[in-house]
Amino acid sequence: GQQVMQIPQYQHVQEGEDFTTYCNSSTTLSNIQWYKQRPGGHPVFLIQLVKSGEVKKQKRLTFQFGEAKKNSSLHITATQTTDVGTYFCAASRYGNKLVFGAGTILRVKS
Amino acid sequence: DAGVIQSPRHEVTEMGQEVTLRCKPISGHDYLFWYRQTMMRGLELLIYFNNNVPIDDSGMPEDRFSAKMPNASFSTLKIQPSEPRDSAVYFCASSLLVQVGDYGYTFGSGTRLTVV
């Protein structure tokens, strides 16, 4: 079945450093979404990318969708302690069924 | 809107007992999803509904699991009989059709199930 591979599994950064997580698929995706889950919480929708090569920004967060629509990245500039959590990509090839990546756990040391 | 509402928040039960998890989606959302989250397997889609009709239940692990959506405002996930390996956090999520806008899934707070 469809899978999305997410790397790294875990990253521990110093507050103020940048952070990037990557999501890759072997098949072309119709869209990709990003979610954040705080420790003990539930996934919260951040953004959706649909177009090839699309780039979207939310304050310190930058999201990219690859030209071939097979990969995506989330970059956080100057991390803060409030960025702590697990970041998931989720993708669909068709329809409304999302498959979630394994997530990248971000820890920020102040 | 109060968001997606799940109950109970925590459930501890003995092996062999029946467990029923409940979900109230956001009003107007066409899709409802049941996910299970564990450390080992991450977020797994169990089943999803569109307009109260089950569309894909390929993720339901065994016949012990069943899900219903009798109306647009209520869904249940039932495990009978429960086993210790069913221990996980079960999330319900609802959404509109994601392809037509910048919509994602809205998740409930989850039910943490422990089977002893």
Side-chain angles (χ1 to χ4, degrees):
Chain A
Q2 175 192 323
Q3 284 189 328
V4 286
M5 307 301 295
Q6 197 170 350
I7 56 171
Q9 284 186 301
Y10 180 86
Q11 188 145 11
H12 193 171
V13 301
Q14 189 74 32
E15 188 174 21
E17 291 182 340
D18 292 356
F19 160 77
T20 305
T21 174
Y22 301 90
C23 189
N24 299 292
S25 170
S26 58
T27 57
T28 302
L29 304 169
S30 63
N31 64 348
I32 196 157
Q33 299 187 359
W34 287 92
Y35 291 76
K36 176 183 178 181
Q37 184 177 20
R38 294 182 185 275
H42 57 276
V44 174
F45 173 71
L46 295 177
I47 208 159
Q48 172 169 260
L49 304 171
V50 178
K51 300 175 183 175
S52 168
E54 188 169 17
V55 178
K56 288 188 177 180
K57 293 191 175 185
Q58 289 180 350
K59 298 182 180 179
R60 295 179 293 104
L61 278 61
T62 302
F63 305 84
Q64 295 189 349
F65 202 7
E67 293 289 343
K69 300 184 74 173
K70 290 184 177 181
N71 55 73
S72 180
S73 65
L74 158 59
H75 179 83
I76 302 178
T77 304
T79 55
Q80 300 174 359
T81 55
T82 53
D83 295 325
V84 162
T86 302
Y87 291 85
F88 293 96
C89 63
S92 66
R93 290 181 63 196
Y94 46 80
N96 226 49
K97 176 180 172 180
L98 285 180
V99 174
F100 281 75
T104 296
I105 298 171
L106 172 64
R107 292 290 177 257
V108 180
K109 185 177 180 181
S110 60
Chain B
D1 201 319
V4 176
I5 300 172
Q6 289 187 248
S7 64
R9 288 296 306 274
H10 302 274
E11 177 81 36
V12 180
T13 191
E14 291 186 345
M15 182 174 62
Q17 295 298 306
E18 177 179 296
V19 175
T20 300
L21 311 181
R22 296 172 176 80
C23 176
K24 177 177 171 22
I26 289 176
S27 177
H29 278 190
D30 304 305
Y31 292 84
L32 183 139
F33 307 84
W34 283 99
Y35 280 86
R36 177 172 68 177
Q37 186 174 40
T38 60
M39 288 293 293
M40 292 297 295
R41 301 176 69 90
L43 270 166
E44 300 175 277
L45 176 65
L46 301 177
I47 186 172
Y48 81 95
F49 296 82
N50 178 212
N51 292 323
N52 315 337
V53 176
I55 302 301
D56 185 343
D57 66 354
S58 59
M60 296 286 261
E62 298 172 35
D63 291 345
R64 298 184 297 107
F65 285 70
S66 63
K68 293 182 180 179
M69 192 165 184
N71 57 62
S73 60
F74 184 65
S75 177
T76 59
L77 177 67
K78 187 175 293 185
I79 308 173
Q80 166 62 18
S82 58
E83 296 182 3
R85 60 192 167 123
D86 301 331
S87 297
V89 180
Y90 290 80
F91 287 107
C92 175
S94 70
S95 80
L96 296 168
L97 182 62
V98 297
Q99 273 78 12
V100 298
D102 197 14
Y103 304 119
Y105 290 5
T106 301
F107 282 80
S109 297
T111 295
R112 182 173 294 278
L113 173 65
T114 304
V115 184
V116 298

